Amino acid sequence: MTDTAADLLAGSRRALARAITAVENDAPEAEAILRAVHPHTGGAHVIGVTGPPGAGKSTLTDHIAKAFRAAGERVGIVAVDPSSPFSGGAILGDRIRMGDLALDPGVFIRSMASRGSLGGLARHAADAAALMDAAGMGVVLVETVGVGQSEVDIARAADTTVVVLVPGQGDGVQAIKAGILEIADIFAINKADRDGVPQLEAELNAVLDLAERRPAWRPPVLRTVAKTGDGVAELAENIVRHLAHLRESGGLESRRLARAEAELLARLEEGLRRRVVAAALPPERLAALAARVVRREADPYTLTAELLAECFAG
Ligand SMILES: Nc1nc2c(ncn2[C@@H]2O[C@H](COP(=O)(O)OP(=O)(O)O)[C@@H](O)[C@H]2O)c(=O)[nH]1
Ligand SMILES: [Mg+2]
């Protein structure tokens, strides 16, 4: 086992920080660390908090973290912001924002910004959550901005997903369009101090009435005012209730199985892609073949078929 992994498992915050940095940088030691800590994961309740920019996810995440701290849990926070140019846990705003939480030794906060592809970011966030899990955090909150596919990917790594929407902005319609309803286990109508709350509630409930997908768990639609903390206790209760429901219904097992399948497939595809490309298309050959395509001496369809046949011959 690597020193970093052993120290992380022994509770070192510095080792946890180092491990997340390794993951974020796709450093060579990252895989060895993840491999070593894997047997020690699975204990944390991973909670995704997602929704449009400015909905109040960060503010709400702070309050949820405090609620779980008050219940005696150690809490990890992974704040993902693909739009931020900063990384390495040094997003100044987040540090200031979470000032009092950052001083709590029972809380570990890490911000991750875009580095490479969004898909990479989703994987890094999931790996960071796993590292916090292994380090003994009973609850890991993963905050993600936006409602695009990468956020859906991140949400799939969570046991419970809270979708945060704001009244009066057509968020309900947007959420339906973005397919975010499918990933929501709980809706938080944040900024409930503003106008338009009953309308958004009615919109969401109308859609939930139509969707019979999870009859045993109807996602509750809750009101929160993250600025003051109003409604957060009820939100935290529903998060805990959702985990209990997953445990009792076998849903936790099936979600985690689906997640493991997706991860195995994604890793195999990535590994395969790299090996095949490296073997079949070194840069000079790629350039030469591209030139033939442009000169109309060959077409890309035939060439691809030939390359694949070459890779898997014999
Ligand atoms: N009026 C009102 N403002 C809020 C509420 N929650 C958050 N805000 C404000 O909305 C802005 C965006 O909040 P933030 O947590 O950074 O949103 P995020 O982008 O979703 O993480 C900040 O100025 C917050 O103070 C709320 O419940 N009511
Ligand atoms: Mg935020």
Side-chain angles (χ1 to χ4, degrees), residues 176 181 203-214 218:
I176 293 160
L181 288 176
E203 259 173 59
L204 293 174
N205 278 313
V207 177
L208 290 172
D209 286 344
L210 292 174
E212 278 179 83
R213 62 216 161 82
R214 272 174 278 164
R218 178 184 170 105

Side-chain angles (χ1 to χ4, degrees), residues 54 56-59 79-81 94 97 143 145:
K57 299 177 297 299
S58 297
T59 318
V80 180
D81 189 348
D94 279 346
R97 196 196 80 211
E143 179 200 334
V145 73

Side-chain angles (χ1 to χ4, degrees), residues 92-280:
L92 197 58
D94 279 346
R95 279 292 168 86
I96 291 166
R97 196 196 80 211
M98 304 206 204
D100 49 339
L101 274 179
L103 295 174
D104 180 344
V107 175
F108 191 95
I109 302 170
R110 182 62 176 248
S111 299
M112 306 183 95
S114 66
R115 188 122 356 128
S117 69
L118 282 180
L121 189 58
R123 184 166 49 78
H124 293 162
D127 287 344
L131 291 168
M132 290 188 183
D133 179 351
M137 308 293 166
V139 168
V140 178
L141 290 154
V142 183
E143 179 200 334
T144 61
V145 73
V147 289
Q149 183 56 43
S150 71
E151 286 70 33
V152 172
D153 288 345
I154 292 171
R156 289 219 172 89
D159 300 312
T160 301
T161 297
V162 179
V163 171
V164 184
L165 300 172
V166 176
Q169 303 192 343
D171 271 9
V173 177
Q174 288 302 329
I176 293 160
K177 277 194 202 149
I180 207 161
L181 288 176
E182 283 72 29
I183 62 165
D185 297 306
I186 296 171
F187 287 101
I189 300 188
N190 191 45
K191 307 198 183 184
D193 51 325
R194 293 190 178 169
D195 290 340
V197 174
Q199 194 186 332
L200 180 53
E201 271 173 350
E203 259 173 59
L204 293 174
N205 278 313
V207 177
L208 290 172
D209 286 344
L210 292 174
E212 278 179 83
R213 62 216 161 82
R214 272 174 278 164
W217 178 266
R218 178 184 170 105
V221 180
L222 308 171
R223 299 180 180 194
T224 58
V225 182
K227 221 169 52 172
T228 62
D230 279 3
V232 172
E234 200 189 347
L235 174 57
E237 276 163 28
N238 276 276
I239 291 171
V240 171
R241 196 166 66 80
H242 180 252
L243 181 66
H245 162 77
L246 283 182
R247 288 221 168 96
E248 286 156 18
S249 64
L252 190 62
E253 174 86 357
S254 55
R255 275 186 189 211
R256 291 186 173 185
L257 278 170
R259 193 192 312 171
E261 279 189 10
E263 180 171 11
L264 284 169
L265 261 178
R267 286 190 188 276
L268 181 65
E269 283 169 8
E270 175 59 19
L272 199 57
R273 196 187 64 79
R274 265 193 232 159
R275 280 187 62 174
V276 167
V277 170

